[in-house]
Protein backbone atom coordinates (compact mmCIF):
# COMPACT_ATOMS: atom_id res chain seq x y z
CA UNK A 1 0.00 0.00 0.00
CA UNK A 2 2.83 2.39 0.87
CA UNK A 3 4.23 1.86 -2.61
CA UNK A 4 0.95 2.91 -4.19
CA UNK A 5 0.41 5.91 -1.89
CA UNK A 6 3.82 7.35 -2.63
CA UNK A 7 3.49 6.62 -6.32
CA UNK A 8 0.28 8.65 -6.35
CA UNK A 9 2.24 11.65 -5.22
CA UNK A 10 4.19 11.78 -8.42
CA UNK A 11 1.44 10.86 -10.78
CA UNK A 12 -1.17 13.52 -9.89
CA UNK A 13 -0.73 14.97 -12.93
CA UNK A 14 -1.42 18.19 -18.00
CA UNK A 15 -0.12 21.88 -23.42
CA UNK A 16 2.94 22.33 -25.23
CA UNK A 17 3.76 25.62 -23.44
CA UNK A 18 5.44 24.34 -20.30
CA UNK A 19 6.67 25.99 -17.13
CA UNK A 20 9.71 24.18 -15.70
CA UNK A 21 10.11 21.07 -17.78
CA UNK A 22 12.69 18.53 -16.64
CA UNK A 23 15.85 19.27 -18.69
CA UNK A 24 16.34 16.10 -20.73
CA UNK A 25 15.18 14.37 -23.91
CA UNK A 26 11.52 15.07 -24.64
CA UNK A 27 9.82 12.63 -27.05
CA UNK A 28 6.99 15.10 -27.68
CA UNK A 29 8.01 17.47 -30.50
CA UNK A 30 4.55 18.27 -31.91
CA UNK A 31 3.41 21.86 -31.43
CA UNK A 32 -0.39 21.98 -31.33
CA UNK A 33 -1.34 25.43 -30.05
CA UNK A 34 -0.50 28.99 -31.10
CA UNK A 35 -1.38 31.89 -28.78
CA UNK A 36 -3.21 34.86 -30.28
CA UNK A 37 -3.85 37.44 -27.55
CA UNK A 38 -4.62 37.80 -23.86
CA UNK A 39 -8.26 38.42 -22.92
CA UNK A 40 -8.73 41.61 -20.92
CA UNK A 41 -10.56 41.74 -17.60
CA UNK A 42 -13.41 43.68 -19.11
CA UNK A 43 -14.25 40.91 -21.54
CA UNK A 44 -17.39 38.78 -21.38
CA UNK A 45 -15.46 35.82 -19.96
CA UNK A 46 -14.16 35.73 -16.41
CA UNK A 47 -12.04 33.52 -14.16
CA UNK A 48 -15.04 32.04 -12.34
CA UNK A 49 -16.52 30.65 -15.53
CA UNK A 50 -13.26 28.89 -16.38
CA UNK A 51 -12.84 27.53 -12.85
CA UNK A 52 -16.38 26.15 -12.78
CA UNK A 53 -15.81 24.50 -16.15
CA UNK A 54 -12.57 22.86 -14.98
CA UNK A 55 -14.17 21.52 -11.80
CA UNK A 56 -17.47 20.32 -13.27
CA UNK A 57 -16.42 18.98 -16.68
CA UNK A 58 -17.13 15.29 -17.37
CA UNK A 59 -16.53 15.24 -21.13
CA UNK A 60 -12.76 14.94 -20.76
CA UNK A 61 -12.93 11.52 -19.13
CA UNK A 62 -15.85 10.49 -21.35
CA UNK A 63 -13.59 10.98 -24.37
CA UNK A 64 -11.41 8.14 -23.07
CA UNK A 65 -14.45 5.95 -22.49
CA UNK A 66 -15.58 6.59 -26.06
CA UNK A 67 -12.43 4.94 -27.40
CA UNK A 68 -13.97 1.52 -26.78
CA UNK A 69 -16.29 2.15 -29.72
CA UNK A 70 -13.45 2.73 -32.20
CA UNK A 71 -10.79 0.89 -34.12
CA UNK A 72 -7.54 2.88 -34.01
CA UNK A 73 -3.75 2.75 -34.01
CA UNK A 74 -1.81 3.45 -30.79
CA UNK A 75 1.90 4.23 -30.73
CA UNK A 76 3.29 3.99 -27.20
CA UNK A 77 6.83 5.07 -26.33
CA UNK A 78 8.45 4.91 -22.88
CA UNK A 79 11.94 6.16 -22.07
CA UNK A 80 13.72 5.55 -18.76
CA UNK A 81 16.73 7.53 -17.54
CA UNK A 82 19.73 7.18 -15.27
CA UNK A 83 20.72 9.73 -12.61
CA UNK A 84 22.41 11.88 -15.27
CA UNK A 85 19.19 11.93 -17.32
CA UNK A 86 20.69 9.79 -20.05
CA UNK A 87 18.35 7.26 -21.67
CA UNK A 88 18.96 3.75 -20.32
CA UNK A 89 15.79 1.98 -21.46
CA UNK A 90 13.21 2.16 -24.26
CA UNK A 91 9.82 0.55 -24.77
CA UNK A 92 7.95 0.90 -28.06
CA UNK A 93 4.60 -0.55 -29.04
CA UNK A 94 2.56 0.05 -32.18
CA UNK A 95 -0.81 -1.57 -31.69
CA UNK A 96 -4.01 -1.83 -33.68
CA UNK A 97 -7.06 -1.83 -31.41
CA UNK A 98 -9.80 -3.47 -33.44
CA UNK A 99 -13.43 -3.04 -32.36
CA UNK A 100 -14.97 -4.49 -35.49
CA UNK A 101 -16.73 -7.45 -33.92
CA UNK A 102 -15.23 -8.89 -30.70
CA UNK A 103 -12.36 -6.70 -29.50
CA UNK A 104 -8.94 -7.72 -30.79
CA UNK A 105 -5.50 -6.23 -30.23
CA UNK A 106 -2.82 -6.71 -32.88
CA UNK A 107 0.86 -5.89 -32.41
CA UNK A 108 2.27 -4.10 -35.43
CA UNK A 109 5.63 -3.36 -33.75
CA UNK A 110 6.97 -4.45 -30.35
CA UNK A 111 10.46 -3.38 -29.26
CA UNK A 112 12.33 -3.20 -25.93
CA UNK A 113 15.87 -1.91 -25.45
CA UNK A 114 18.15 -1.32 -22.47
CA UNK A 115 17.24 -1.70 -18.81
CA UNK A 116 13.54 -2.42 -19.10
CA UNK A 117 12.78 -5.56 -17.07
CA UNK A 118 13.57 -6.93 -13.63
CA UNK A 119 14.84 -10.49 -13.18
CA UNK A 120 11.27 -11.66 -12.49
CA UNK A 121 10.15 -10.39 -15.90
CA UNK A 122 8.25 -7.36 -14.62
CA UNK A 123 8.98 -3.84 -15.79
CA UNK A 124 11.66 -1.97 -13.86
CA UNK A 125 9.46 1.06 -13.18
CA UNK A 126 6.33 1.07 -11.06
CA UNK A 127 5.58 4.35 -12.83
CA UNK A 128 4.72 2.35 -15.95
CA UNK A 129 2.21 0.25 -14.04
CA UNK A 130 0.58 3.35 -12.55
CA UNK A 131 0.36 5.01 -15.95
CA UNK A 132 -1.26 1.95 -17.46
CA UNK A 133 -3.84 1.71 -14.69
CA UNK A 134 -4.99 5.31 -15.02
CA UNK A 135 -6.11 4.82 -18.60
CA UNK A 136 -6.71 1.08 -18.97
CA UNK A 137 -10.40 1.31 -18.04
CA UNK A 138 -10.78 3.21 -21.30
CA UNK A 139 -8.26 1.34 -23.42
CA UNK A 140 -5.50 -1.23 -23.10
CA UNK A 141 -2.13 0.47 -23.56
CA UNK A 142 -0.50 -2.96 -23.12
CA UNK A 143 2.34 -1.83 -20.90
CA UNK A 144 0.99 -4.30 -18.33
CA UNK A 145 0.12 -7.69 -19.86
CA UNK A 146 -3.23 -9.16 -18.77
CA UNK A 147 -3.99 -6.18 -16.52
CA UNK A 148 -7.31 -6.64 -14.67
CA UNK A 149 -10.21 -4.36 -15.47
CA UNK A 150 -12.00 -2.63 -12.58
CA UNK A 151 -15.14 -0.59 -12.13
CA UNK A 152 -13.52 1.75 -9.62
CA UNK A 153 -15.59 0.41 -6.71
CA UNK A 154 -13.47 -2.35 -5.31
CA UNK A 155 -10.44 -4.49 -5.74
CA UNK A 156 -8.65 -3.65 -2.52
CA UNK A 157 -6.66 -0.75 -1.12
CA UNK A 158 -4.33 -0.40 -4.10
CA UNK A 159 -7.22 0.07 -6.52
CA UNK A 160 -8.89 2.51 -4.12
CA UNK A 161 -5.84 4.78 -4.10
CA UNK A 162 -5.39 4.46 -7.85
CA UNK A 163 -9.00 5.48 -8.39
CA UNK A 164 -8.37 8.59 -6.27
CA UNK A 165 -5.53 9.36 -8.62
CA UNK A 166 -7.86 9.10 -11.61
CA UNK A 167 -10.07 11.73 -9.98
CA UNK A 168 -7.08 14.04 -9.65
CA UNK A 169 -6.24 13.72 -13.33
CA UNK A 170 -9.73 14.05 -14.76
CA UNK A 171 -11.16 16.45 -12.15
CA UNK A 172 -8.30 18.70 -10.96
CA UNK A 173 -9.08 21.15 -8.18
CA UNK A 174 -11.47 18.87 -6.32
CA UNK A 175 -10.68 17.73 -2.76
CA UNK A 176 -9.41 14.16 -2.51
CA UNK A 177 -10.05 12.50 0.84
CA UNK A 178 -7.90 9.60 1.93
CA UNK A 179 -4.77 10.65 0.04
CA UNK A 180 -2.08 11.00 2.73
CA UNK A 181 0.26 13.99 2.89
CA UNK A 182 -0.99 15.79 -0.22
CA UNK A 183 -4.78 15.39 -0.48
CA UNK A 184 -5.53 18.98 0.58
CA UNK A 185 -2.89 20.44 -1.74
CA UNK A 186 -4.97 19.64 -4.82
CA UNK A 187 -7.67 22.22 -3.99
CA UNK A 188 -6.10 25.14 -5.84
CA UNK A 189 -9.43 26.90 -6.43
CA UNK A 190 -10.42 27.42 -2.78
CA UNK A 191 -10.57 30.97 -1.39
CA UNK A 192 -7.45 30.37 0.69
CA UNK A 193 -5.37 28.91 -2.16
CA UNK A 194 -6.28 31.53 -4.78
CA UNK A 195 -4.05 34.10 -3.12
CA UNK A 196 -1.01 32.11 -4.26
CA UNK A 197 -1.89 31.82 -7.96
CA UNK A 198 -2.19 34.05 -11.03
CA UNK A 199 -5.07 33.39 -13.43
CA UNK A 200 -4.81 34.34 -17.11
CA UNK A 201 -6.74 33.38 -20.22
CA UNK A 202 -5.88 33.83 -23.87
CA UNK A 203 -7.45 33.27 -27.24
CA UNK A 204 -5.49 30.76 -29.28
CA UNK A 205 -5.58 28.41 -32.26
CA UNK A 206 -5.43 24.65 -31.72
CA UNK A 207 -4.29 22.23 -34.43
CA UNK A 208 -4.04 25.15 -36.88
CA UNK A 209 -7.81 25.58 -37.17
CA UNK A 210 -9.80 25.26 -33.93
CA UNK A 211 -10.43 28.53 -32.01
CA UNK A 212 -9.76 27.93 -28.32
CA UNK A 213 -9.29 29.61 -24.96
CA UNK A 214 -6.15 28.82 -22.99
CA UNK A 215 -6.79 29.13 -19.24
CA UNK A 216 -3.63 29.14 -17.17
CA UNK A 217 -3.28 28.90 -13.39
CA UNK A 218 0.31 29.44 -12.22
CA UNK A 219 2.09 30.08 -8.93
CA UNK A 220 2.74 33.79 -8.43
CA UNK A 221 6.39 34.58 -9.18
CA UNK A 222 6.85 37.00 -6.27
CA UNK A 223 6.06 34.50 -3.50
CA UNK A 224 8.76 33.50 -1.04
CA UNK A 225 10.68 30.31 -1.77
CA UNK A 226 9.23 28.73 1.37
CA UNK A 227 5.66 29.42 0.20
CA UNK A 228 6.37 28.17 -3.33
CA UNK A 229 7.85 24.94 -2.01
CA UNK A 230 4.61 24.24 -0.13
CA UNK A 231 2.47 24.51 -3.27
CA UNK A 232 2.27 21.19 -5.09
CA UNK A 233 0.59 22.29 -8.33
CA UNK A 234 2.94 24.75 -10.01
CA UNK A 235 0.89 25.23 -13.18
CA UNK A 236 -2.41 24.00 -14.58
CA UNK A 237 -3.34 24.81 -18.18
CA UNK A 238 -6.70 23.93 -19.71
CA UNK A 239 -7.65 24.35 -23.37
CA UNK A 240 -11.32 25.08 -24.12
CA UNK A 241 -13.00 24.89 -27.50
CA UNK A 242 -14.48 28.39 -28.04
CA UNK A 243 -17.43 26.94 -29.93
CA UNK A 244 -18.81 24.67 -27.19
CA UNK A 245 -16.55 25.30 -24.15
CA UNK A 246 -15.54 21.64 -23.96
CA UNK A 247 -12.03 20.79 -22.81
CA UNK A 248 -9.62 19.78 -25.58
CA UNK A 249 -6.40 19.68 -23.58
CA UNK A 250 -4.91 19.71 -20.11
CA UNK A 251 -1.35 20.27 -18.85
CA UNK A 252 -0.17 19.99 -15.25
CA UNK A 253 3.22 20.80 -13.75
CA UNK A 254 3.64 19.44 -10.21
CA UNK A 255 6.56 19.37 -7.84
CA UNK A 256 6.78 18.61 -4.15
CA UNK A 257 9.29 17.41 -1.59
CA UNK A 258 9.20 16.38 2.05
CA UNK A 259 10.89 13.86 4.33
CA UNK A 260 9.01 10.94 2.79
CA UNK A 261 9.19 11.55 -0.95
CA UNK A 262 10.16 13.86 -3.79
CA UNK A 263 8.49 14.19 -7.16
CA UNK A 264 8.73 16.44 -10.20
CA UNK A 265 6.09 15.71 -12.85
CA UNK A 266 4.67 17.26 -16.00
CA UNK A 267 1.78 15.68 -17.89
CA UNK A 268 -0.06 16.74 -21.03
CA UNK A 269 -3.25 15.30 -22.56
CA UNK A 270 -4.71 16.41 -25.89
CA UNK A 271 -7.95 15.66 -27.72
CA UNK A 272 -9.27 16.09 -31.24
CA UNK A 273 -12.52 15.54 -33.12
CA UNK A 274 -13.32 12.57 -35.34
CA UNK A 275 -16.71 12.93 -37.04
CA UNK A 276 -17.59 15.46 -34.32
CA UNK A 277 -16.76 13.00 -31.51
CA UNK A 278 -14.00 14.08 -29.11
CA UNK A 279 -11.27 11.45 -28.66
CA UNK A 280 -7.75 11.43 -27.13
CA UNK A 281 -4.88 11.88 -29.56
CA UNK A 282 -1.79 12.44 -27.41
CA UNK A 283 -0.60 11.85 -23.84
CA UNK A 284 2.85 12.89 -22.68
CA UNK A 285 4.56 12.56 -19.32
CA UNK A 286 7.88 13.61 -17.85
CA UNK A 287 8.57 12.65 -14.26
CA UNK A 288 11.07 11.94 -11.50
CA UNK A 289 10.09 10.50 -8.17
CA UNK A 290 11.98 9.17 -5.20
CA UNK A 291 11.29 7.89 -1.71
CA UNK A 292 13.39 6.11 0.95
CA UNK A 293 14.64 2.56 0.35
CA UNK A 294 13.41 2.51 -3.26
CA UNK A 295 15.27 3.21 -6.47
CA UNK A 296 14.55 6.64 -7.94
CA UNK A 297 12.39 6.43 -11.06
CA UNK A 298 12.92 8.73 -14.04
CA UNK A 299 10.75 8.30 -17.11
CA UNK A 300 8.97 9.96 -20.00
CA UNK A 301 6.04 8.69 -22.06
CA UNK A 302 4.60 9.59 -25.43
CA UNK A 303 1.32 7.95 -26.44
CA UNK A 304 -0.20 8.88 -29.81
CA UNK A 305 -3.57 7.65 -31.11
CA UNK A 306 -4.56 7.98 -34.75
CA UNK A 307 -6.68 6.57 -37.58
CA UNK A 308 -9.88 6.39 -35.54
CA UNK A 309 -12.74 4.57 -37.28
CA UNK A 310 -16.05 3.74 -35.66
CA UNK A 311 -16.19 0.01 -34.99
CA UNK A 312 -19.09 -2.32 -35.62
CA UNK A 313 -18.97 -3.74 -32.08
CA UNK A 314 -19.73 -7.30 -31.06
Amino acid sequence: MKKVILSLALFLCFLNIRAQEIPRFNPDTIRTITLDSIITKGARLNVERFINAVINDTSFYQAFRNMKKYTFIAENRVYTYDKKNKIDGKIYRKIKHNNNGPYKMEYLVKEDNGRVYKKNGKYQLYTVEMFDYIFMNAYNSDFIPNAPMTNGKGGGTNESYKDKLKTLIFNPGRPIKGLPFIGNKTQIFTANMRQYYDYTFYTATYLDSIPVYRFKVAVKPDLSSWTKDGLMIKELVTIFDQRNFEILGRYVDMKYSNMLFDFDVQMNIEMSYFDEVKLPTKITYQGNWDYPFKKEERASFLVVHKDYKLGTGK
Side-chain angles (χ1 to χ4, degrees):
M1 182 181 74
K2 182 183 293 184
K3 188 177 184 181
V4 174
I5 294 173
L6 296 176
S7 297
L8 289 173
L10 71 99
F11 226 102
L12 308 175
C13 355
F14 297 23
L15 270 141
N16 274 341
I17 299 171
R18 298 175 170 87
Q20 298 177 354
E21 186 176 276
I22 298 170
R24 65 181 176 220
F25 171 71
N26 182 0
D28 181 13
T29 59
I30 305 170
R31 183 176 177 83
T32 54
I33 186 168
T34 303
L35 293 183
D36 296 331
S37 61
I38 191 169
I39 301 175
T40 62
K41 292 183 178 180
R44 174 175 55 88
L45 294 172
N46 56 53
V47 169
E48 291 301 325
R49 183 179 179 188
F50 283 109
I51 290 176
N52 289 336
V54 170
I55 293 175
N56 297 316
D57 176 77
T58 59
S59 68
F60 199 71
Y61 180 58
Q62 184 59 43
F64 282 88
R65 304 293 295 173
N66 288 341
M67 292 169 61
K68 290 184 176 181
K69 303 175 184 178
Y70 287 81
T71 292
F72 63 96
I73 300 295
E75 290 195 71
N76 307 324
R77 293 175 172 85
V78 177
Y79 297 85
T80 63
Y81 305 88
D82 61 20
K83 292 184 178 181
K84 295 182 179 180
N85 281 324
K86 293 183 178 180
I87 296 173
D88 63 4
K90 299 179 184 179
I91 302 169
Y92 175 65
R93 302 284 187 271
K94 186 174 183 180
I95 304 168
K96 182 176 182 179
H97 297 273
N98 191 334
N99 277 296
N100 290 319
Y103 171 75
K104 293 185 296 184
M105 183 176 67
E106 176 186 356
Y107 287 104
L108 304 179
V109 182
K110 185 176 181 180
E111 298 175 351
D112 299 307
N113 296 288
R115 300 179 61 187
V116 174
Y117 297 100
K118 297 179 181 179
K119 292 181 179 179
N120 60 8
K122 294 184 178 181
Y123 282 113
Q124 286 273 0
L125 300 188
Y126 188 66
T127 309
V128 177
E129 181 179 341
M130 291 295 294
F131 184 88
D132 187 79
Y133 181 90
I134 298 307
F135 302 104
M136 75 181 179
N137 283 343
Y139 70 95
N140 181 3
S141 68
D142 192 54
F143 289 139
I144 305 299
N146 303 316
M149 302 293 284
T150 76
N151 59 11
K153 296 182 180 180
T157 303
N158 285 7
E159 282 68 29
S160 174
Y161 280 111
K162 290 175 181 177
D163 283 330
K164 289 181 173 64
L165 174 56
K166 288 175 66 174
T167 301
L168 288 168
I169 291 176
F170 293 108
N171 297 101
R174 287 181 176 271
I176 306 296
K177 295 181 179 180
L179 195 59
F181 315 119
I182 56 177
N184 63 340
K185 295 183 180 297
T186 64
Q187 298 176 259
I188 62 173
F189 298 125
T190 63
N192 180 59
M193 292 293 285
R194 290 191 192 190
Q195 63 182 310
Y196 303 120
Y197 290 90
D198 284 328
Y199 301 84
T200 54
F201 38 101
Y202 302 77
T203 59
T205 303
Y206 182 72
L207 296 175
D208 297 326
S209 61
I210 301 174
V212 296
Y213 298 117
R214 177 178 180 266
F215 177 53
K216 177 181 176 181
V217 182
V219 171
K220 290 182 176 180
D222 57 351
L223 297 177
S224 68
S225 297
W226 183 85
T227 301
K228 288 181 180 179
D229 289 344
L231 300 172
M232 185 180 70
I233 297 179
K234 307 303 182 184
E235 184 175 307
L236 172 66
V237 177
T238 308
I239 303 301
F240 293 90
D241 189 330
Q242 289 188 26
R243 301 166 299 182
N244 55 24
F245 223 65
E246 286 200 1
I247 295 176
L248 285 175
R250 175 168 289 150
Y251 168 76
V252 164
D253 180 1
M254 308 181 71
K255 186 175 183 178
Y256 192 66
S257 176
N258 62 21
M259 295 179 63
L260 294 177
F261 53 79
D262 297 270
F263 64 87
D264 185 356
V265 170
Q266 297 97 40
M267 178 173 278
N268 177 55
I269 300 178
E270 298 177 14
M271 309 277 183
S272 190
Y273 294 109
F274 297 84
D275 295 327
E276 300 184 357
V277 177
K278 187 170 67 175
L279 294 164
T281 53
K282 185 172 70 173
I283 305 167
T284 61
Y285 165 91
Q286 285 273 15
N288 298 343
W289 64 281
D290 190 18
Y291 60 92
F293 313 114
K294 296 292 181 180
K295 181 181 177 181
E296 181 183 20
E297 295 198 1
R298 299 174 177 235
S300 62
F301 305 142
L302 172 61
V303 176
V304 176
H305 296 159
K306 57 187 179 181
D307 299 336
Y308 280 104
K309 295 180 181 179
L310 187 62
T312 57
K314 296 181 180 179

